[in-house]
Amino acid sequence: MKVLVSLCVFVPLLALATAEEEAVLESILRDRSHIEETLRLAADEKAGDFAAALQRLMKIYHNSIRPMEQAYKYNELRQHEISDGEITSKPMVLFLGPWSVGKSSMVNYLLGLQDTPYQLYTGAEPTTSEFTVIMHGEKIRTVEGIVMAADSSRSFSPLEKFGQNFLEKLVGIEMPHKLLERVTFVDTPGIIENRKQQERGYPFNDVCQWFIDRADLIFVVFDPTKLDVGLELEMLFRQLKGRESQIRIILNKADSLATQDLMRVYGALFWSLAPLINVTEPPRVYVSSFWPYDYAPDTSHDLFKREEISLLEDLNQVIENRLENKIAFIRQHGIRVRIHALLVDRYVQTFKEKMSFFSDPELVFKEIVDDPDKFYIFKSILAKTNVSKFDLPNRDAYRDFFGINPVSSFKQLSAQCSYTGGCLLEKIERAITHELPSLLGSINSSKNPTLSSCEATGCGEKPKNRYRRN
């Protein structure tokens, strides 16, 4: 009887305690309404126009750029094969940084996953050991890495080249979320300076480079208490070279310090990163605390809120300009393919000119590929074509390229023509100078993206990275 009475008293008390805990929890949670407002998640998109422009972009790529890629084996030089999944993929936001700096917590905060069964695991110790891709899906489910790599409709098929050990460390999470309809998040394992790369069981730096090359926005997250820069972090920033316009540095957990200490940490962060970021314009640094709980008392609440909104505006700019950025990326890729084809054509032409009946083909071509400047290989490209010297690839790369692909296996550009398909060089030049700028201009002027005329769209104008801060 006493036990029964005790239970009758205990159950209401337990329910009351649970309700009080929930009320306390709600009181310390931060308001998230500004996230939806800044990212305009309630606004409807013109899905039809967007899909039509993507179809037009894929048609230009397959008809005008890909044939040149295949004819001159460009993918073996750059190791970057563009699939239909990559063209149609959503913008990718990549989170990088040391361990336990709040990368996973930031993803949870942006998606509102805190205290749900689907939140990314967080903790003071190194917690994320996988590359986690958070993407949109009709229902919440986990996708194994081997499934993601085997699905040709996704943009992750090329990851198979990093081996089965890596695929076991790759996981995808699908969920129905308004933000994930427009962007894909990638959470990465934290950098641990006392761990050698080979101990991970897969080429960590190479995998990071693959994601860096395809990311539209890169958040490099730091903790005020973990500003040490080691070899692995130095390697990471070397991999980020050339992608400075996509980098955003985040000094997270800023409310854990007093204002004076925060200013000192901010200066120390720049001091540590200055040798690693060799550019005249440093990346944008955001100082805030990106997690769902309210800021600590006696800290700069207004500053942190403004910094967070600025970061969300940057993210929204990438989402808004995703189609323009995709077109600019394909055009830049087409320019590189064209330069590669012109160089291979020049190597083939020089080889044929130097060959005689008694010449040894291997010795003749070895002399050419070892010293291309002697035969004006690169200078002739600059003199005869509209190519910038800053876009020319590394000379040494062609020694390795022709070591795998004999020069005799390539035809000259003048022979790459047909009565029905036209000439490969003319098609890729038309795509670079006419078709892609026309498509870009029609989007910017809110016209039908299927228009082929570029009289009013500024043909030949180089697309700009519109979300880069000037």
Side-chain angles (χ1 to χ4, degrees):
M1 188 67 178
K2 291 182 179 180
V3 174
L4 182 60
V5 172
S6 300
L7 284 174
C8 292
V9 174
F10 177 73
V11 171
L13 288 175
L14 182 62
L16 180 62
T18 304
E20 289 178 352
E21 288 177 359
E22 290 179 356
V24 171
L25 185 62
E26 289 179 1
S27 67
I28 63 175
L29 289 178
R30 197 186 309 169
D31 179 30
R32 300 183 69 257
S33 60
H34 63 286
I35 296 179
E36 184 169 338
E37 293 173 4
T38 307
L39 297 178
R40 303 174 189 172
L41 299 183
D44 293 329
E45 293 186 316
K46 297 180 180 179
D49 293 345
F50 186 78
L54 279 181
Q55 289 299 319
R56 174 65 176 157
L57 180 60
M58 279 202 294
K59 184 177 180 182
I60 293 172
Y61 171 71
H62 282 287
N63 292 346
S64 304
I65 299 176
R66 189 168 179 79
M68 184 76 88
E69 273 186 51
Q70 295 174 334
Y72 290 94
K73 300 182 180 179
Y74 175 77
N75 295 331
E76 296 189 18
L77 177 75
R78 295 279 301 187
Q79 296 293 316
H80 188 169
E81 183 176 358
I82 296 180
S83 62
D84 289 351
E86 185 170 353
I87 295 177
T88 59
S89 64
K90 301 177 181 67
M92 181 188 295
V93 178
L94 182 64
F95 291 82
L96 298 170
W99 59 274
S100 193
V101 295
K103 299 187 295 296
S104 301
S105 297
M106 189 173 177
V107 175
N108 288 334
Y109 174 56
L110 292 174
L111 296 176
L113 301 179
Q114 190 71 24
D115 298 324
T116 70
Y118 317 109
Q119 67 174 342
L120 302 183
Y121 181 65
T122 60
E125 75 283 1
T127 55
T128 304
S129 61
E130 299 94 3
F131 283 80
T132 307
V133 182
I134 304 98
M135 48 197 167
H136 183 262
E138 296 301 323
K139 60 181 181 179
I140 298 177
R141 69 183 185 117
T142 301
V143 185
E144 297 295 332
I146 55 175
V147 177
M148 295 173 61
D151 189 350
S152 59
S153 64
R154 304 180 190 270
S155 58
F156 303 104
S157 300
L159 288 172
E160 280 189 309
K161 66 182 179 181
F162 297 117
Q164 294 301 311
N165 285 341
F166 166 69
L167 294 181
E168 292 178 359
K169 295 292 184 180
L170 175 68
V171 63
I173 300 176
E174 290 184 346
M175 64 180 67
H177 196 284
K178 201 70 175 177
L179 179 55
L180 295 178
E181 291 178 3
R182 308 180 184 187
V183 71
T184 296
F185 290 135
V186 179
D187 188 20
T188 62
I191 293 171
I192 303 178
E193 296 296 351
N194 61 357
R195 177 182 295 174
K196 296 180 181 179
Q197 178 177 323
Q198 52 266 29
E199 291 180 5
R200 295 183 185 266
Y202 61 90
F204 176 74
N205 290 332
D206 292 341
V207 174
C208 285
Q209 188 67 63
W210 189 93
F211 281 103
I212 288 170
D213 290 341
R214 289 156 179 81
D216 296 84
L217 197 58
I218 302 170
F219 290 146
V220 185
V221 188
F222 287 94
D223 184 316
T225 62
K226 298 185 181 71
L227 297 182
D228 55 319
V229 177
L231 294 177
E232 201 166 52
L233 192 60
E234 287 182 8
M235 174 63 72
L236 176 65
F237 273 93
R238 280 199 292 268
Q239 292 177 291
L240 291 170
K241 187 175 178 60
R243 304 299 303 273
E244 286 81 9
S245 62
Q246 280 86 31
I247 298 174
R248 303 292 185 269
I249 294 175
I250 297 174
L251 186 57
N252 200 13
K253 306 181 184 180
D255 63 341
S256 63
L257 297 176
T259 303
Q260 186 176 8
D261 293 333
L262 182 61
M263 294 300 295
R264 291 171 178 168
V265 168
Y266 186 86
L269 177 64
F270 265 102
W271 178 266
S272 301
L273 298 182
L276 306 179
I277 308 175
N278 190 21
V279 292
T280 55
E281 180 185 1
R284 178 76 164 86
V285 179
Y286 297 96
V287 181
S288 188
S289 182
F290 295 92
W291 73 331
Y293 302 108
D294 203 2
Y295 302 116
D298 300 325
T299 56
S300 304
H301 294 196
D302 293 338
L303 170 64
F304 297 157
K305 182 69 172 292
R306 290 196 299 270
E307 289 284 280
E308 183 178 322
I309 292 176
S310 295
L311 181 140
L312 294 173
E313 288 173 347
D314 252 2
L315 176 58
N316 183 66
Q317 196 71 11
V318 171
I319 296 172
E320 293 289 333
N321 295 335
R322 62 194 182 280
L323 189 53
E324 291 94 325
N325 293 332
K326 194 79 71 175
I327 295 171
F329 166 72
I330 294 297
R331 185 176 183 272
Q332 183 184 48
H333 178 77
I335 291 172
R336 289 172 175 166
V337 172
R338 172 178 174 267
I339 292 173
H340 170 69
L342 290 169
L343 285 170
V344 173
D345 175 72
R346 182 60 184 167
Y347 273 106
V348 173
Q349 181 183 348
T350 304
F351 174 70
K352 290 183 177 180
E353 290 174 354
K354 297 301 177 183
M355 276 296 295
S356 65
F357 184 77
F358 298 103
S359 300
D360 185 338
E362 292 186 4
L363 293 178
V364 170
F365 190 70
K366 185 178 185 304
E367 183 183 5
I368 296 172
V369 79
D370 286 345
D371 190 6
D373 290 337
K374 178 181 177 181
F375 300 95
Y376 302 99
I377 300 291
F378 287 80
K379 291 181 179 179
S380 63
I381 300 299
L382 294 175
K384 295 182 180 181
T385 58
N386 185 23
V387 175
S388 169
K389 66 178 180 180
F390 302 105
D391 291 333
L392 291 177
N394 187 358
R395 291 163 169 76
D396 295 334
Y398 282 91
R399 185 183 294 107
D400 298 331
F401 176 77
F402 285 115
I404 301 172
N405 305 286
V407 67
S408 57
S409 64
F410 296 102
K411 296 180 181 178
Q412 287 189 252
L413 282 171
S414 57
Q416 297 281 9
C417 298
S418 65
Y419 289 106
T420 56
C423 297
L424 296 185
L425 184 59
E426 292 178 0
K427 289 168 67 176
I428 196 170
E429 288 181 343
R430 184 167 60 250
I432 292 169
T433 61
H434 179 86
E435 294 173 347
L436 291 173
S438 172
L439 181 59
L440 184 67
S442 65
I443 293 169
N444 291 337
S445 59
S446 301
K447 293 182 179 180
N448 187 343
T450 59
L451 290 176
S452 59
S453 171
C454 65
E455 294 177 357
T457 58
C459 282
E461 183 179 356
K462 186 176 180 180
K464 297 179 180 179
N465 188 337
R466 295 176 58 194
Y467 64 86
R468 179 174 183 177
R469 290 180 176 268
N470 295 321

